[in-house]
Amino acid sequence: MTGISQISLKSLPAAGEIQQGESLASQGITGAETHKLPEAKGISVSSLAFSWAKKYYSTVAARENQAPRQIPHSPESSNFEGNRAKIVDKLTDTLKVATEIAWSRVEAVLGEQIERHAIDPSLINQEEIAADTRTLYRKAIDAYGDREPVFRLSVLVGKDIVEVRRKYSETDPLVLGFVTLEFQYTSKILLGCLSESERSEFAPYLKVVDDYLHIPYGEINEGAANQPPNSKALLAVQHLLQHTTQIASAVYDRASSQHQGYRSSSGYLSDPQVKISGIRDVEIFQSYLCWCVLAESIGPIQQELFPICVMLYPKLHVSWELVQDMLLILFWEISDRLPAADVMVFLPYLRTLTEMFSSNVFEN
């Protein structure tokens, strides 16, 4: 493979290399040496995070056992037009069975991961997860039925979603992986019962719920509240959050061009729904970088993002090479859009994140 995949981990410069305010593109990043992280809560040097990531992955890989089971097919879509009230009725009638079908898929994909990742089975409560899924999606359906604008949904249910997310992540971050997959499969089934025109109307409401569930908005807001006004960390995060979607779109497009013909369990990278979820994944990585910067710790990635990715990505046939290329492209995109002072704030965490997902971690 040519292009971005040929750039090695050492291509990422240390923060000191951009102190003169030059853009990363103008000075180039080829051949820079690996440098240590500054002292921060929860970690001292980037090599420590790399060693931890390698050990974590090796431990998980050692528990690998049976081959994955077959994933059931989704029910056929009932394509018929209807007004808003009929759409609401259709979604409401489908919701309960959708969460049940979705959970059977979650079990098929992740059932063996309970032992492999040493998760306490008592923490994975199917009925509770399904009930939370129905509650939040029902609120989205009601908002749609009441003709609430999409942007209002974050105000109406954002706090509820944050609380549900935190409930599971604080118990065991890996349980959050089961929850997000339950929401993902339920969402697909709900959209599958709608016609194409109906789907385009309702899909944005589901996306708001999914985004709030996947992205640690609550933790980012708390971290921002704990920062002094106009701190370098706060300003850098504010600037990045203004560009996350544009950055994610650019990263996805460039990574897709590097992996033409690549197919995950969800479909080809060119498929519209795969692109939506892929762009969201890049936004998720950026949000964890923001959380780390505000917390002055690599802990959010170590404790939550990395373990969830290790559990989910192989089962969804997302290759580590694709993730590695995405992170390298992400570095370029962030450096192109943010001032050098902001890039310096993110660089230690971005370097460490890249090291944790490097090929050396997953070589076995």
Side-chain angles (χ1 to χ4, degrees):
M1 179 173 293
T2 60
I4 195 73
S5 61
Q6 290 183 329
I7 303 176
S8 70
L9 174 62
K10 291 185 179 180
S11 299
L12 298 186
E17 297 176 18
I18 56 174
Q19 287 179 342
Q20 304 305 316
E22 300 173 304
S23 71
L24 273 297
S26 66
Q27 63 175 248
I29 61 173
T30 304
E33 295 296 325
T34 302
H35 288 69
K36 295 182 179 180
L37 268 173
E39 292 292 326
K41 298 175 183 176
I43 192 165
S44 57
V45 295
S46 60
S47 59
L48 176 60
F50 168 82
S51 299
W52 174 90
K54 188 175 180 67
K55 180 179 179 181
Y56 180 93
Y57 182 75
S58 299
T59 301
V60 169
R63 300 193 188 106
E64 183 70 66
N65 40 39
Q66 292 96 8
R69 290 170 279 171
Q70 290 292 327
I71 299 175
H73 294 291
S74 60
E76 294 185 358
S77 303
S78 53
N79 295 316
F80 60 90
E81 297 293 337
N83 57 32
R84 188 175 294 254
K86 288 183 179 179
I87 294 174
V88 169
D89 288 342
K90 196 191 307 186
L91 290 167
T92 303
D93 291 344
T94 306
L95 183 57
K96 187 176 189 303
V97 66
T99 57
E100 295 173 353
I101 295 173
W103 186 256
S104 70
R105 296 183 183 181
V106 173
E107 287 186 319
V109 174
L110 295 181
E112 66 188 39
Q113 302 302 302
I114 296 175
E115 179 179 352
R116 187 180 179 212
H117 290 264
I119 304 170
D120 182 353
S122 67
L123 298 178
I124 303 174
N125 188 321
Q126 172 188 350
E127 294 183 0
E128 184 179 11
I129 293 173
D132 285 335
T133 306
R134 287 193 294 270
T135 297
L136 294 181
Y137 275 158
R138 182 54 199 259
K139 290 183 178 182
I141 294 171
D142 290 344
Y144 171 77
D146 293 338
R147 298 182 180 272
E148 292 282 0
V150 174
F151 70 84
R152 281 275 299 161
L153 193 59
S154 61
V155 177
L156 295 173
V157 300
K159 183 179 179 181
D160 295 332
I161 303 171
V162 168
E163 289 177 353
V164 167
R165 186 188 192 284
R166 184 166 293 175
K167 177 177 69 172
Y168 291 107
S169 64
E170 289 182 348
T171 300
D172 182 337
L174 286 175
V175 177
L176 186 61
F178 285 77
V179 176
T180 56
L181 204 57
E182 166 73 2
F183 273 80
Q184 179 180 326
Y185 287 145
T186 300
S187 175
K188 287 183 178 180
I189 295 170
L190 289 176
L191 292 176
C193 80
L194 302 177
S195 67
E196 185 174 351
S197 61
E198 294 169 344
R199 196 177 303 133
S200 64
E201 286 188 25
F202 183 64
Y205 291 81
L206 290 182
K207 188 177 187 305
V208 172
V209 176
D210 292 345
D211 286 351
Y212 264 79
L213 188 68
H214 283 82
I215 296 175
Y217 286 118
E219 288 75 11
I220 291 173
N221 288 336
E222 286 186 0
N226 292 328
Q227 286 286 328
N230 297 321
S231 70
K232 290 182 179 179
L234 183 58
L235 291 175
V237 167
Q238 288 174 337
H239 294 160
L240 180 59
L241 290 177
Q242 294 171 8
H243 300 284
T244 51
T245 300
Q246 295 92 332
I247 289 174
S249 297
V251 169
Y252 188 85
D253 288 342
R254 290 178 62 182
S256 297
S257 69
Q258 295 290 331
H259 296 265
Q260 293 183 17
Y262 178 86
R263 193 182 194 283
S264 70
S265 62
S266 300
Y268 292 99
L269 295 178
S270 57
D271 294 348
Q273 291 304 314
V274 175
K275 183 172 183 177
I276 290 173
S277 61
I279 290 174
R280 184 186 60 209
D281 279 2
V282 183
E283 290 181 296
I284 291 171
F285 274 76
Q286 292 178 80
S287 72
Y288 275 89
L289 282 172
C290 291
W291 185 4
C292 286
V293 164
L294 294 171
E296 299 179 5
S297 170
I298 202 68
I301 292 173
Q302 280 189 315
Q303 297 164 15
E304 197 166 293
L305 179 63
F306 184 83
I308 290 176
C309 289
V310 168
M311 182 175 71
L312 288 181
Y313 278 173
K315 304 304 296 183
L316 300 177
H317 301 133
V318 176
S319 75
W320 297 121
E321 183 183 8
L322 178 62
V323 177
Q324 291 151 14
D325 287 354
M326 178 269 289
L327 287 173
L328 288 168
I329 299 169
L330 176 61
F331 166 78
W332 282 102
E333 292 296 331
I334 289 177
S335 69
D336 284 346
R337 285 173 168 80
L338 296 185
D342 291 341
V343 177
M344 288 174 59
V345 173
F346 283 104
L347 188 56
Y349 302 98
L350 184 54
R351 283 180 57 83
T352 304
L353 174 64
T354 305
E355 289 174 354
M356 290 173 67
F357 281 91
S358 69
S359 58
N360 290 334
V361 170
F362 305 106
E363 60 186 357
N364 294 323

